[in-house]
Amino acid sequence: MAGSLATHRRSLIIVVVLYSAALTFYCAPSLIHRQSCQKWPGTAAPEDLSNPNAQQNISSEFPRRIWQTAKTGPLALEQNAQGAVRSWLDMNQEHRYELITDGGTASYVQEHFSHKPELLHDFLSLQDGLLRADLLRYLLLFAEGGTYTDVDTICLKTISQWVPEEIKSKVNLVFGVEGDSLGGGLIPGFTYPVQFASWTFLAKPRHMIMGMIIDRVLHQLRGLAKAQNTTIGHIEASYMDVMDTTGPGVFADSIYHGLSLITGTNVTSSNLTGMTEPRLFGDVLILPVTAFGAGLAHSNAGPTTDEHALVQHIFAGSWKAGHPMKQPEVVPDITDPQTAEELDADRQGISRKGHIPAEQAHEAGGVKLEQAKEHGSQKEITNDLKREDR
């Protein structure tokens, strides 16, 4: 009898050990840190971007995912960044949270973009961590959608409240103004009189403009490598190189171009300056500066207590130290509105050299432009990066 009990006890211990090992393997992936092992409400398995029918599975709602990137896991973040991350978890408990570390970027891009060999090659070749992280955020929201936000941002209002209820069915992409010169001199370090925040944005999967941003970034990276007579893996990027290859400059280039394609008009900073209320361009919602820039000391941004404040950026990043200015900036005088228009035209004229004509947009990214203009469903407003890589 004693022997039988001992045998039974050993069998039970083995079962418990095997179960624990399986649970640990499932809940502790080495590359992506998740808030919970369970499947959060409103989330779905990653889509197969090589499948042209995958777009039919996209929900009419924004995916309940929050994406962040960092060099290491959440426990290694500085205390203020950990507090900022906690704000996103506390304020959005129905969202799935994922933090992708530097060690996990390659695995993610290989999984979701293996059908784009040139994109994959260029991404894996990038050695500059900042350029790589910038490109990754665009790839994340193109592939799976959701909310991207830097780890040094604080959530002030739950994501479900960001889009006004009466237009939720029409919105597939959300950007916020980062800075507005308001007719004065160009804000130092900016490339447009009105520029967009790349630290936080919200998207449904495969949106045309997200595809355009990715396309433009790859074009700029290849151009910079050629200009330096080197490869993408050996690029040495200055501050303005970052702005114009993966950062806010190229981000704004593509957004302005995309808004112009969707609306059939030439959308420039003059259409956005002085905004105090959200404005809809096709299926793209642009939020005023207080939304994502609450507490900023410029652009007439409201305080973090403002009813329109959604996100606070605490600017804890130190990327500028590794990407210095090559020379002092020449800040154009744009107190004259006509000069502001000329600056926009010049900037967009340069940026659009890497883009294609509006009538070919559907070939460049599989975009249904007419549906975009008419606030069509997201499964029709798609950018599957079908165009062959350059």
Side-chain angles (χ1 to χ4, degrees):
M1 183 68 175
S4 177
L5 287 174
T7 300
H8 179 73
R9 189 178 294 110
R10 282 195 299 270
S11 299
L12 183 59
I13 291 173
I14 290 172
V15 170
V16 170
V17 169
L18 290 175
Y19 177 81
S20 299
L23 189 62
T24 300
F25 177 80
Y26 177 72
C27 293
S30 59
L31 300 180
I32 300 180
H33 296 267
R34 292 185 171 86
Q35 180 183 358
S36 172
C37 180
Q38 67 182 12
K39 209 167 190 177
W40 288 78
T43 63
E47 295 177 80
D48 178 8
L49 295 186
S50 64
N51 179 4
N53 297 318
Q55 195 71 18
Q56 298 176 359
N57 299 323
I58 293 177
S59 169
S60 60
E61 296 184 355
F62 284 93
R64 296 179 185 177
R65 286 189 183 90
I66 299 171
W67 298 97
Q68 294 191 309
T69 63
K71 292 181 178 180
T72 56
L75 296 180
L77 295 174
E78 295 183 3
Q79 189 170 359
N80 61 342
Q82 288 190 29
V85 169
R86 176 54 58 184
S87 73
W88 291 95
L89 306 183
D90 290 344
M91 294 286 290
N92 304 280
Q93 294 189 18
E94 291 188 350
H95 282 61
R96 173 174 167 175
Y97 173 82
E98 301 202 23
L99 174 72
I100 299 188
T101 64
D102 283 0
T105 58
S107 175
Y108 183 90
V109 177
Q110 286 171 331
E111 178 183 350
H112 291 275
F113 294 92
S114 60
H115 63 294
K116 304 299 295 181
E118 291 192 29
L119 181 156
L120 185 60
H121 173 270
D122 288 349
F123 183 86
L124 297 178
S125 298
L126 268 176
Q127 299 301 308
D128 187 308
L130 175 63
L131 302 181
R132 194 164 166 143
D134 281 347
L135 177 53
L136 177 64
R137 70 185 67 182
Y138 310 138
L139 295 173
L140 289 171
L141 263 60
F142 178 83
E144 298 192 68
T147 302
Y148 171 82
T149 191
D150 284 355
V151 292
D152 60 348
T153 60
I154 297 173
C155 184
L156 302 175
K157 190 174 290 187
T158 181
I159 295 170
S160 62
Q161 298 178 319
W162 288 9
V163 179
E165 194 67 38
E166 62 272 18
I167 60 172
K168 275 189 175 180
S169 63
K170 300 178 180 180
V171 179
N172 295 314
L173 189 60
V174 179
F175 297 116
V177 171
E178 172 187 5
D180 185 349
S181 63
L182 298 169
L186 190 67
I187 299 173
F190 280 36
T191 56
Y192 279 96
V194 177
Q195 194 158 290
F196 304 98
S198 60
W199 60 70
T200 303
F201 49 99
L202 178 64
K204 292 179 183 177
R206 300 183 182 183
H207 193 279
M208 173 187 76
I209 291 181
M210 294 310 302
M212 290 171 61
I213 293 170
I214 295 168
D215 183 58
R216 180 62 181 164
V217 166
L218 294 172
H219 174 84
Q220 292 295 86
L221 285 171
R222 293 162 186 164
L224 180 60
K226 184 177 180 180
Q228 294 185 359
N229 194 29
T230 187
T231 63
I232 284 180
H234 293 88
I235 286 174
E236 294 184 2
S238 68
Y239 173 89
M240 288 309 299
D241 288 335
V242 173
M243 294 288 287
D244 287 336
T245 54
T246 63
V250 73
F251 190 64
D253 288 342
S254 298
I255 293 173
Y256 277 117
H257 187 203
L259 294 180
S260 297
L261 289 179
I262 289 173
T263 62
T265 63
N266 185 30
V267 178
T268 68
S269 295
S270 62
N271 300 106
L272 300 174
T273 188
M275 281 179 54
T276 58
E277 297 291 336
R279 190 171 298 173
L280 190 62
F281 293 80
D283 66 331
V284 183
L285 184 65
I286 306 297
L287 301 176
V289 65
T290 300
F292 293 164
L296 292 177
H298 56 74
S299 309
N300 281 350
T304 56
T305 55
D306 190 292
E307 63 176 334
H308 300 296
L310 307 177
V311 175
Q312 180 185 9
H313 191 195
I314 58 178
F315 295 96
S318 57
W319 68 268
K320 294 179 184 178
H323 302 83
M325 288 282 188
K326 288 182 178 178
Q327 58 188 13
E329 270 189 275
V330 177
V331 180
D333 177 12
I334 59 170
T335 54
D336 179 1
Q338 183 176 354
T339 307
E341 289 289 337
E342 291 172 354
L343 178 63
D344 258 0
D346 178 63
R347 174 76 194 180
Q348 294 187 39
I350 293 172
S351 75
R352 291 177 187 182
K353 290 179 182 177
H355 289 307
I356 46 118
E359 61 271 15
Q360 298 175 17
H362 66 286
E363 296 177 2
V367 59
K368 306 289 186 180
L369 187 58
E370 292 305 315
Q371 283 83 0
K373 292 178 181 178
E374 299 170 3
H375 315 299
S377 65
Q378 181 62 21
K379 68 181 180 182
E380 294 174 319
I381 305 170
T382 175
N383 182 334
D384 199 19
L385 293 177
K386 292 177 182 176
R387 179 181 53 77
E388 291 298 320
D389 287 318
R390 298 184 186 88

